[in-house]
Amino acid sequence: HVGRVEQCQGGVLLLGGIEQLTPAAQSRVLRLIRDGEFERVGGRDTLKADVQLIGVTTASLDACVAAGKFRTEL
């Protein structure tokens, strides 16, 4: 099944509420940013993606980082 990342190939993906991402989801987003790689949910193959990511939030990311809920790398 083609997911959002693949649908946005060559374009921009807007991620809303990024402060709510689980630690595992944050790791996957970081991998996408750093390496341009991802795996489909339930998939085993590593795929490449050329997407720009925009993350938005209404929360204070500094407070989320200080509370240990959000990765500083993101």
Side-chain angles (χ1 to χ4, degrees):
H1 179 12
V2 175
R4 299 287 187 227
V5 173
E6 289 177 272
Q7 290 175 359
C8 292
Q9 184 70 13
V12 178
L13 178 60
L14 178 68
L15 300 174
I18 60 168
E19 79 284 356
Q20 298 174 8
L21 290 175
T22 64
Q26 290 179 42
S27 293
R28 290 190 295 268
V29 169
L30 186 57
R31 180 180 179 203
L32 181 60
I33 292 169
R34 284 185 177 166
D35 305 328
E37 296 179 345
F38 70 100
E39 293 174 3
R40 290 179 177 154
V41 175
R44 295 183 182 154
D45 297 330
T46 298
L47 305 171
K48 289 282 192 182
D50 177 22
V51 296
Q52 294 180 17
L53 298 176
I54 298 175
V56 296
T57 183
T58 57
S60 166
L61 287 183
D62 289 334
C64 292
V65 168
K69 296 180 180 179
F70 199 79
R71 295 177 68 132
T72 57
E73 302 95 341
L74 289 176

